[in-house]
Amino acid sequence: EFEESGDPEKHFQDLLSLAKEGIQKGKVVAVGECGLDYDRLHFCPAEIQKKYFEKQFELAYITKLPMFLHMRAAAADFCEIVEKNKDRFSGGVTHSFTDSMDDCNKLLSFDKMYIGINGCSLKTTENLDVVKGIPVERMMIETDSPYCEIKNTHAGIGFVKTKWPSKKKEKYDQECVVKGRNEPCSVRQVLEVVAGCKGINDIDNLSRTLYHNTCRVFFSHDLDSAADALLAGDNSS
């Protein structure tokens, strides 16, 4: 989009204006999703991805926003760019993580970086081994709705305890999830798989830690006693 706009600098300034407007309205909390994806080079060549990924750190630096990041099959270049810009953003998460433990450790070497886990992160036994090695203090969970659901073929499915009735979208029922659509409530399943593969029995405390991680980076105004009280109320009910 930077290149296709015909004027990359104007495109950047438009993004900056949009971000500033969104911050004032309380609607924009991060720069992203941005990063590198070498599995999808048919959408954008690697050199263009790298050039403008680095440019997007300028948005984070000017706006003082954290970053919501994407890394797929591009760990070396991704980490090199983050290393060069690690003082230009306040924090961030590399979401939908599916890479190796070595790549995970590279990300964790950046003290402001968290690892985001969803259904795509829980497909194989190797994925689960990586999740086991991520400190909960450096983890976030997500659905990536409407994609990345935990399927029956995934290695993590054995840890899933909560399921909902489903119907096809043509027969929509507000008491059911839509068949084939990963809905926000499914974040509960991600929590259960993370707890299960890590051998954590106190799922409520795990959820509180993950919630606080998310607030610390993206929603610092929610990181207070009122939020804790709300969580405690949810758990007791």
Side-chain angles (χ1 to χ4, degrees):
E1 288 180 357
F2 274 97
E3 295 282 326
E4 290 172 354
S5 71
D7 188 341
E9 186 55 36
K10 181 181 182 300
H11 187 70
F12 175 85
Q13 293 300 328
D14 289 344
L15 286 173
L16 180 58
S17 296
L18 186 65
K20 288 180 175 178
E21 178 185 342
I23 292 168
Q24 289 178 344
K25 292 181 177 179
K27 299 293 185 181
V28 171
V29 299
V31 171
E33 177 181 349
C34 55
L36 302 177
D37 191 326
Y38 291 176
D39 277 349
R40 295 178 175 86
L41 296 177
H42 52 289
F43 288 127
C44 184
E47 290 307 310
I48 292 178
Q49 289 192 41
K50 288 191 290 183
K51 179 179 179 179
Y52 293 106
F53 179 34
E54 188 143 16
K55 182 75 172 174
Q56 285 160 327
F57 280 92
E58 289 186 38
L59 284 174
Y61 181 71
I62 295 169
T63 60
K64 302 296 185 284
L65 288 172
M67 300 189 77
F68 192 85
L69 299 167
H70 177 99
M71 181 184 85
R72 180 138 303 136
D77 287 345
F78 182 96
C79 291
E80 180 182 343
I81 291 171
V82 173
E83 174 66 34
K84 288 167 62 178
N85 293 277
K86 63 183 179 183
D87 296 325
R88 307 193 77 194
F89 70 110
S90 61
V93 59
T94 302
H95 94 120
S96 194
F97 186 80
T98 57
D99 290 291
S100 69
M101 196 67 228
D102 284 345
D103 293 335
C104 181
N105 287 332
K106 290 176 187 175
L107 293 176
L108 292 174
S109 71
F110 304 113
D111 58 8
K112 297 180 288 187
M113 186 72 74
Y114 290 75
I115 309 293
I117 300 300
N118 59 31
C120 289
S121 314
L122 307 168
K123 287 183 177 180
T124 68
T125 54
E126 291 81 4
N127 291 152
L128 297 184
D129 286 340
V130 172
V131 171
K132 288 178 188 177
I134 303 173
V136 294
E137 295 79 12
R138 300 289 297 280
M139 183 188 292
M140 297 182 193
I141 59 174
E142 58 171 344
T143 58
D144 207 33
S145 172
Y147 312 108
C148 293
E149 71 272 27
I150 300 173
K151 298 181 178 179
N152 289 332
T153 54
H154 288 184
I157 192 66
F159 296 113
V160 171
K161 298 177 180 178
T162 304
K163 297 185 179 181
W164 300 269
S166 64
K167 289 186 178 180
K168 292 181 178 179
K169 62 182 180 180
E170 293 81 8
K171 298 181 179 180
Y172 176 74
D173 181 338
Q174 65 179 4
E175 298 300 321
C176 300
V177 297
V178 175
K179 195 173 185 65
R181 178 190 296 165
N182 189 25
E183 299 195 22
C185 61
S186 299
V187 74
R188 172 74 187 189
Q189 295 183 334
V190 180
L191 176 67
E192 289 170 352
V193 177
V194 169
C197 75
K198 281 181 164 291
I200 295 173
N201 294 321
D202 190 346
I203 198 167
D204 292 334
N205 190 55
L206 173 62
S207 68
R208 184 177 289 105
T209 299
L210 298 173
Y211 174 79
H212 281 179
N213 293 346
T214 306
C215 288
R216 197 169 289 115
V217 176
F218 298 110
F219 309 103
S220 57
H221 55 281
D222 283 341
L223 196 61
D224 55 24
S225 57
D228 279 338
L230 182 63
L231 278 173
D234 285 345
N235 291 337
S236 64
S237 63

